[in-house]
Amino acid sequence: MKQTVIELLASDLNHEGGVYCPNPKAGMQLWNAHPKVYLDVAHAGMAKCPYCGTEYQLKAGETLNAGH
């Protein structure tokens, strides 16, 4: 199975520092999608979906704002 890695900008993350998979950036169609799962990308700079194996990672050089 081909490993898919999706690079994200800081602006792609929600206010909690994460994304949901399936994600439009991964090119997944609604009809063949798995259950929606939240992935915390901000904590480690990347996260892997437990359903499909897609990896979401923060693009090199992207920074997140700390605090509110």
Side-chain angles (χ1 to χ4, degrees), residues 3 24 29 34-36 38 40 51 55 57 62:
Q3 187 70 21
Q29 300 299 317
H34 55 69
K36 190 175 188 180
Y38 173 80
D40 181 3
Y51 287 102
E55 289 188 21
Q57 66 182 19
E62 286 291 300

Side-chain angles (χ1 to χ4, degrees), residues 23-44:
N23 189 291
K25 288 188 163 280
M28 296 176 189
Q29 300 299 317
L30 193 56
W31 61 268
N32 69 348
H34 55 69
K36 190 175 188 180
V37 60
Y38 173 80
L39 303 169
D40 181 3
V41 176
H43 184 73

